Amino acid sequence: MDESIRIQRYEELPTSKHFKSFIESTNLPAVFVGCTKSWRAFSQWNPSNGGLNYLQARVGSATVEAMVSQSAPVFYGDLGSHDRVPLPFSTFIGLCKKRMLTKCKDKEEALDPCLNMENHDAECGDLSLEGVPEQIYLAQVPIMNSDREERVQLEALREDIQTPPILEGKELSSINLWMNNAQARSSTHYDPHNNLLCIVSGRKQVVLWPPSASPSLYPMPIYGEASNHSSVALENPDYSIYPRAEWSMAFAQKVVLEAGDALFIPEGWFHQVDSDDWTIAINFWWRSYTMSSMQEHMDAYYLRRILRRLIDKEMDQVLLELGMGKTRTLTQKLPNGGEADHGDDNYGKMLKGMDIKEKRLCEGNTLVELEPAAVQVLHELVSWVHNCISVSQDQESHSASTSDHNLGENDECKKAVTADLNDDPVAKIIWDVKPQTLQYVFLAMAHNFPRTLEALVLHVLSPVGAEVLTRKFDEMDQQILEEDRNRFYEVFYSAFDDQSAAMNSILKGKEAFAQQAFKNVLDKFVGVNLKS
């Protein structure tokens, strides 16, 4: 986990100004110890101290929606994995009392006289959920909702809680109650609002992942009703289906919240919550400054900018995973078991016969003598091209101005074009060589092996190879003078019968690489898998 995104812990509650400027603005989680201890709810709602009776008296039989799931104690938030069942609040309190009574009997503990358990059977009898486990979860039951006031079910509890001072000046979207009658686990998800989760009684353990960890959590498709939820099961996850999830905890942070604590969960942060028996929490949701400031007419632009940035990062990541960027070793793996066998022995003669100290390429250009490293790179590139391109048997005699053989596509070449990116030796050769050395190699190829250079670009270079090549060109451009740069490209493209075709081939290769990166982005961050 990146140390720069560690959860901060505050023993004293900061001011609203400090919270806004140094905590909320960073989009990083923070724990505030003792945030709710001054609330009436903190002293009055505690189930171990008569709080269930208090809550029942305050709310009565108001109807609330409870989550019921066959997977309890794990509650998955997607609509297909649970049911929302309306029931009287008093019925839920009855279930809490029943479980508390059972646990006390099992432990042979004395019951708190305030529990008044004598009527618990009648209260639980109100629950007409035949065949459904008694473990249910009050999740996101509104105490206040600015958008849907008619849906507020527990407004009577508003007087017992206070808006934390750090939220002073915030336009709250909603205040909700979360309460479970037994240990419960909520599935991994993110919220589209900033969230302050306040523990009134009990305890919660929260696991948090930054939005950048989305690929390891496999968010559900963006077009679905549960797009903010992870597809990975909490219990017995199938890593054969979700392989990246096996390393998801490397990006996670855990925090334990005791009664009185509060946790700031920024919008977009994935979180998974485990709750102890009879844990009661209140959360406050409000829109972030970023989302509040976005104008709808700019959405399409921001979407394209963000996608482009994710695509660029994904392309860098793909190259990194392919081992690009490592220090070049002296030898590279060659085809045919490492032997420089290219159909006949004439290629070796050609390479030996080439004028390494080539005469002036044009007026104003100094002579270039290829160093051993450049000769090796030249040898490897020509080797790979000749390995997948058929060589004409009718060869012209070699001279000081020798051009290489007539080259044509064959099945091996086509195979090289469509090969898995993890087996792309040409791209790796180009990536590992120094820009200036590559410049000398290409000049030598353009002068001595123009058809090989043409075949390399038009037929052998893969999409990742095209991306690597242009990145090397960019590095080269920064290291040489403009005059030399222009002359290099003039000589390089002079090797092609159709210069536009060469440029087009490189461009289409780069776009194919970017398109695959785009598909990866959709899969990792949007939950949409576009098959190639």
Side-chain angles (χ1 to χ4, degrees):
M1 170 59 67
D2 187 345
E3 291 295 328
S4 66
I5 57 175
R6 285 286 178 186
I7 297 175
Q8 299 298 312
R9 187 177 180 88
Y10 292 84
E11 299 293 335
E12 294 185 5
L13 204 61
T15 63
S16 58
K17 183 177 181 180
H18 180 93
F19 174 76
K20 178 180 179 181
S21 301
F22 299 102
I23 302 174
E24 182 184 16
S25 64
T26 64
N27 290 312
L28 297 178
V31 174
F32 305 102
V33 178
C35 181
T36 69
K37 287 188 175 180
S38 61
W39 294 3
R40 183 192 302 170
F42 184 79
S43 59
Q44 297 295 324
W45 293 8
N46 189 342
S48 300
N49 193 30
L52 297 179
N53 285 341
Y54 176 86
L55 287 169
Q56 183 169 329
R58 291 283 291 176
V59 178
S61 297
T63 300
V64 294
E65 283 191 350
M67 283 183 69
V68 179
S69 175
Q70 297 294 334
S71 63
V74 178
F75 290 86
Y76 291 97
D78 60 289
L79 297 178
S81 300
H82 73 273
D83 293 314
R84 286 276 183 176
V85 180
L87 78 163
F89 184 76
S90 58
T91 298
F92 176 76
I93 295 297
L95 285 174
C96 293
K97 290 181 178 181
K98 181 178 180 180
R99 179 169 177 80
M100 186 172 286
L101 176 63
T102 302
K103 291 201 70 172
C104 288
K105 286 182 176 179
D106 290 343
K107 295 182 179 181
E108 297 182 350
E109 295 177 353
L111 295 177
D112 189 312
C114 295
L115 282 176
N116 188 20
M117 300 297 291
E118 59 189 28
N119 294 322
H120 74 86
D121 288 330
E123 291 165 342
C124 292
D126 294 339
L127 184 62
S128 56
L129 298 174
E130 184 177 350
V132 176
E134 288 189 353
Q135 182 172 348
I136 58 180
Y137 188 22
L138 294 188
Q140 195 180 326
V141 182
I143 295 174
M144 185 278 286
N145 189 307
S146 61
D147 296 327
R148 306 182 70 177
E149 295 183 8
E150 73 281 0
R151 295 289 303 275
V152 174
Q153 301 162 0
L154 296 177
E155 188 175 4
L157 298 179
R158 182 68 178 90
E159 296 178 1
D160 290 348
I161 62 178
Q162 301 168 15
T163 301
I166 57 175
L167 302 184
E168 181 182 341
K170 304 292 184 190
E171 186 175 338
L172 299 176
S173 299
S174 64
I175 304 173
N176 306 291
L177 173 78
W178 306 75
M179 185 174 178
N180 49 284
N181 68 326
Q183 290 184 355
R185 308 189 72 195
S186 67
S187 59
T188 305
H189 66 286
Y190 67 85
D191 298 319
H193 294 82
N194 281 339
N195 182 7
L196 187 67
L197 177 63
C198 304
I199 311 303
V200 177
S201 66
R203 183 173 65 171
K204 289 181 181 284
Q205 175 183 275
V206 185
V207 184
L208 296 132
W209 292 266
S212 57
S214 295
S216 67
L217 298 174
Y218 292 87
M220 291 187 176
I222 193 68
Y223 51 77
E225 293 295 326
S227 59
N228 62 322
H229 284 262
S230 169
S231 299
V232 184
L234 281 182
E235 297 183 334
N236 303 315
D238 190 340
Y239 295 132
S240 66
I241 300 177
Y242 307 110
R244 294 189 301 267
E246 192 167 1
W247 296 278
S248 64
M249 293 307 295
F251 307 100
Q253 300 181 69
K254 290 184 180 180
V255 60
V256 175
L257 303 175
E258 305 288 350
D261 295 343
L263 170 66
F264 169 56
I265 306 175
E267 64 175 352
W269 275 70
F270 284 88
H271 49 284
Q272 186 274 313
V273 184
D274 289 352
S275 303
D276 286 359
D277 289 333
W278 312 295
T279 295
I280 305 174
I282 298 292
N283 88 297
F284 299 82
W285 272 332
W286 70 99
R287 295 186 71 193
S288 69
Y289 175 77
T290 300
M291 295 305 299
S292 298
S293 302
M294 289 182 65
Q295 301 297 319
E296 288 189 13
H297 68 274
M298 295 296 291
D299 285 353
Y301 166 71
Y302 291 136
L303 173 64
R304 293 179 67 88
R305 282 296 303 270
I306 292 171
L307 278 175
R308 183 69 251 184
R309 184 158 64 176
L310 288 173
I311 290 169
D312 290 342
K313 290 177 66 176
E314 178 64 18
M315 290 194 295
D316 290 342
Q317 184 63 30
V318 169
L319 293 180
L320 184 64
E321 291 174 356
L322 291 175
M324 303 296 179
K326 295 181 180 178
T327 303
R328 178 174 175 78
T329 55
L330 185 60
T331 60
Q332 286 277 354
K333 180 181 177 184
L334 291 174
N336 302 319
E339 300 295 329
D341 179 8
H342 311 287
D344 54 41
D345 295 328
N346 290 309
Y347 163 73
K349 295 177 183 177
M350 289 172 56
L351 191 61
K352 291 178 181 178
M354 188 189 78
D355 188 357
I356 297 293
K357 301 176 182 179
E358 186 56 60
K359 299 299 182 270
R360 301 170 75 91
L361 295 175
C362 94
E363 241 177 282
N365 274 19
T366 57
L367 296 178
V368 175
E369 180 178 352
L370 294 184
E371 296 180 352
V375 174
Q376 180 176 330
V377 172
L378 176 63
H379 175 77
E380 291 169 354
L381 286 177
V382 176
S383 295
W384 278 107
V385 174
H386 280 254
N387 186 59
C388 65
I389 299 289
S390 62
V391 182
S392 171
Q393 296 301 313
D394 184 18
Q395 303 174 15
E396 297 179 358
S397 59
H398 187 67
S399 64
S401 59
T402 298
S403 63
D404 49 350
H405 316 294
N406 294 322
L407 302 173
E409 276 192 85
N410 65 8
D411 291 339
E412 269 193 74
C413 181
K414 293 178 181 177
K415 180 180 178 182
V417 173
T418 58
D420 190 297
L421 295 183
N422 287 301
D423 186 20
D424 198 334
V426 171
K428 290 183 179 180
I429 291 170
I430 295 174
W431 180 266
D432 287 340
V433 70
K434 293 179 180 179
Q436 188 175 33
T437 301
L438 187 63
Q439 178 189 13
Y440 296 156
V441 169
F442 281 147
L443 288 174
M445 289 186 73
H447 217 66
N448 294 276
F449 303 105
R451 298 288 70 78
T452 301
L453 179 59
E454 185 176 53
L456 170 67
V457 172
L458 296 181
H459 306 305
V460 177
L461 203 63
S462 68
V464 68
E467 177 65 25
V468 166
L469 176 64
T470 54
R471 291 191 182 208
K472 279 297 174 179
F473 282 167
D474 289 342
E475 291 182 46
M476 193 185 303
D477 291 347
Q478 296 174 12
Q479 297 178 15
I480 60 178
L481 298 174
E482 182 178 1
E483 182 180 351
D484 292 334
R485 181 170 65 245
N486 294 338
R487 180 57 186 154
F488 165 74
Y489 288 117
E490 180 183 340
V491 173
F492 178 84
Y493 284 109
S494 69
F496 300 88
D497 289 337
D498 186 343
Q499 297 184 14
S500 296
M503 296 178 185
N504 206 33
S505 180
I506 296 173
L507 177 61
K508 286 189 177 300
K510 280 178 60 67
E511 290 179 345
F513 181 63
Q515 184 182 46
Q516 184 57 54
F518 170 66
K519 292 178 180 179
N520 294 350
V521 166
L522 292 184
D523 176 40
K524 292 180 177 181
F525 297 96
V526 190
V528 176
N529 189 354
L530 296 180
K531 294 183 179 180
S532 301

